[in-house]
Amino acid sequence: MCNQTLDVVNVAIGLYDVDDWETSGWWIVGPNQCSNVVEDSLTSRYIYVYARDVFNGSMLAGDTSMCVAPGEFRIRGRQDCLIRGHIAAEFEEVDTRRSERWTFFITTHDS
């Protein structure tokens, strides 16, 4: 994950893991810096990314609803976020083209 903006970015990712969706976060990526948010080789073609600035403003124009939490989290399942005590967020789908490694660049606010 590379942050090519002048803002500090908080990043969460979502992916299908074995038998269910899983989201996790937060990684803090400074301005013009990169961070390795998936340590293993990618096994899914699609990864989902949610990024917010320090004011909690979304930095990507996603349309896939998944769950996040205010602090560090790992959440199984993407349904009924509010009922389960989580926050629903709109993640952006990223097609990795079945690569084992992929770099995603955050460039501007998409709002």
Side-chain angles (χ1 to χ4, degrees):
M1 187 73 52
C2 290
N3 175 10
Q4 294 182 323
T5 73
L6 299 176
D7 297 314
V8 171
V9 177
N10 296 290
V11 175
I13 59 162
L15 51 85
Y16 196 80
D17 181 45
V18 182
D19 62 350
D20 204 353
W21 291 97
E22 182 173 282
T23 54
S24 56
W26 297 100
W27 288 268
I28 299 170
V29 186
N32 295 308
Q33 294 184 356
C34 297
S35 180
N36 189 13
V37 300
V38 178
E39 302 215 358
D40 298 324
S41 295
L42 297 174
T43 57
S44 299
R45 177 175 177 173
Y46 297 98
I47 299 292
Y48 296 82
V49 179
Y50 178 73
R52 65 182 188 193
D53 61 23
V54 294
F55 302 106
N56 264 352
S58 178
M59 297 186 73
L60 302 171
D63 59 3
T64 302
S65 186
M66 295 185 166
C67 305
V68 298
E72 187 176 323
F73 68 92
R74 182 173 301 274
I75 301 170
R76 296 286 289 175
R78 57 179 267 201
Q79 303 299 325
D80 303 318
C81 297
L82 295 176
I83 293 171
R84 296 188 299 138
H86 306 303
I87 301 163
E90 298 301 315
F91 283 64
E92 183 172 313
E93 182 179 85
V94 177
D95 184 352
T96 67
R97 299 185 176 105
R98 300 203 185 279
S99 297
E100 290 185 8
R101 306 225 52 50
W102 188 264
T103 301
F104 182 79
F105 296 91
I106 298 171
T107 55
T108 61
H109 289 283
D110 285 342
S111 51

